[in-house]
Amino acid sequence: MVSNNTQTFLAPINQVFPAEDDVNKHVEDNCSLMYLNEATLLNNVRVRYSKDKIYTYVANILIAVNPYYDIPKLYSAETIKQYQGRSLGTLPPHVYAIADKAYRDMKVLKMSQSIIVSGESGAGKTENTKFVLRYLTTSYGTGQDIDERIVEANPLLEAFGNAKTVRNNNSSRFGKFVEIHFNEKNAVVGGFVSHYLLEKSRICTQGSEERNYHIFYRLCAGAPEDIRQKFHLRSPDTFRVGTFLYLHTQYVDQ
Ligand SMILES: Nc1ncnc2c1ncn2[C@@H]1O[C@H](COP(=O)(O)OP(=O)(O)OP(=O)(O)O)[C@@H](O)[C@H]1O
């Protein structure tokens, strides 16, 4: 017999798991839960999310919930400073803490480090990857052009490889392997992005409620006159898709 104060119902014993009495209590690391099962883990993440604490650890893995709005100061310059050089777990869970751990491990172990970002469409992978890049270039850059160039390459890549889908207005339709290169003094000196499996079919056809790659609409809206003439650019509503396939291929190949 299970009771949640308002309702009592019967459940098979193999579907009933122990939980703490106070369902509003939350912890920064799921490993610290008194009872660890799927329900307590999800409840912990849910309670934290309701308090704008979108990050939770499972040891040195970070769970991020997409808040779909800008949480004040969560990614501010002050927050970046706070996380610099701090061990995982000394401050509230944050994607900056993961970035800093990777950086410190690279320095100490003198080995390349990888951060794997995974999740369903719209989970926040692209945004969190950008926060990691911003953190590393701001904290450990040389203060030269290259820092900004690494961060500012993203809008360009997104123009050609991101599109509106029914699940995400800015869905990445390609896989990305982002490298950040450091010199012997452990300062950021470069970057390299490899891309995989661009969804090329989207250039010709999109499902209803979905769109072509952002660059298509940007060109239709603001291309210089010579490009407008060359590719017969008009309003996107009247555009015949075949022409754009040629245009997109030309730009991507450059
Ligand atoms: N930490 C965050 N704070 C505020 N908004 C966020 C955050 N993470 C994600 N979002 C919002 O959610 C949207 C979708 O996130 P994002 O594009 O990162 O998902 P994704 O996992 O990369 O999806 P896809 O696999 O479709 O590319 C973003 O455009 C942004 O509006």
Side-chain angles (χ1 to χ4, degrees):
M1 199 78 88
V2 180
S3 165
N4 64 2
N5 293 337
T6 54
Q7 230 186 331
T8 303
F9 56 93
L10 275 172
I13 189 71
N14 62 356
Q15 286 179 21
V16 179
F17 299 95
E20 290 210 53
D21 289 340
D22 182 1
V23 290
N24 292 316
K25 195 176 147 194
H26 62 92
V27 292
E28 291 186 341
D29 186 338
N30 277 331
C31 297
S32 317
L33 285 166
M34 173 85 86
Y35 304 103
L36 187 54
N37 53 62
E38 193 176 329
T40 52
L41 187 151
L42 287 173
N43 188 57
N44 189 43
V45 174
R46 183 181 65 89
V47 172
R48 290 178 61 73
Y49 167 70
S50 69
K51 298 176 191 301
D52 275 354
K53 297 177 192 299
I54 59 165
Y55 294 113
T56 306
Y57 290 126
V58 184
N60 61 3
I61 296 169
L62 183 76
I63 298 174
V65 179
N66 185 347
Y68 274 110
Y69 89 103
D70 290 334
I71 298 175
K73 297 191 182 146
L74 188 59
Y75 304 106
S76 66
E78 294 79 57
T79 311
I80 290 184
K81 279 205 189 88
Q82 281 170 14
Y83 278 85
Q84 286 168 7
R86 304 292 293 272
S87 298
L88 215 64
T90 51
L91 288 172
H94 202 295
V95 68
Y96 291 163
I98 297 291
D100 206 82
K101 176 165 170 51
Y103 176 78
R104 281 179 289 108
D105 283 356
M106 174 197 73
K107 242 169 103 174
V108 173
L109 303 170
K110 301 203 183 313
M111 283 171 74
S112 297
Q113 304 293 313
S114 303
I115 299 174
I116 299 170
V117 187
S118 98
E120 63 176 307
S121 178
K125 302 180 293 294
T126 310
E127 295 303 310
N128 278 286
T129 304
K130 286 189 276 191
F131 293 134
V132 168
L133 294 182
R134 170 68 70 190
Y135 180 84
L136 291 174
T137 50
T138 307
S139 306
Y140 305 114
T142 48
Q144 290 173 353
D145 267 10
I146 189 72
D147 302 343
E148 277 308 304
R149 279 168 65 190
I150 289 172
V151 174
E152 284 172 7
N154 268 306
L156 199 63
L157 284 171
E158 289 184 11
F160 287 94
N162 286 33
K164 178 184 186 291
T165 67
V166 283
R167 304 187 66 182
N168 183 356
N169 285 348
N170 184 37
S171 187
S172 309
R173 308 314 296 166
F174 64 111
K176 237 188 282 178
F177 177 54
V178 185
E179 291 172 45
I180 301 289
H181 300 158
F182 295 82
N183 63 13
E184 66 287 352
K185 291 182 180 145
N186 302 308
V188 176
V189 285
F192 194 81
V193 181
S194 316
H195 51 86
Y196 307 93
L197 298 170
L198 175 73
E199 185 193 29
K200 289 186 184 159
S201 59
R202 179 171 296 274
I203 301 163
C204 306
T205 44
Q206 307 91 39
S208 62
E209 312 274 310
E210 300 218 347
R211 302 211 321 178
N212 210 317
Y213 290 101
H214 300 325
I215 188 68
F216 171 58
Y217 306 95
R218 288 182 191 163
L219 280 171
C220 288
E225 199 46 45
D226 54 333
I227 291 184
R228 296 188 78 81
Q229 295 283 330
K230 188 171 174 191
F231 297 109
H232 309 283
L233 291 177
R234 304 178 297 274
S235 154
D237 306 332
T238 59
F239 207 87
R240 289 179 56 145
V241 288
T243 323
F244 186 60
L245 173 62
Y246 172 65
L247 182 63
H248 193 280
T249 316
Q250 289 237 314
Y251 270 79
V252 167
D253 286 349
Q254 273 173 22

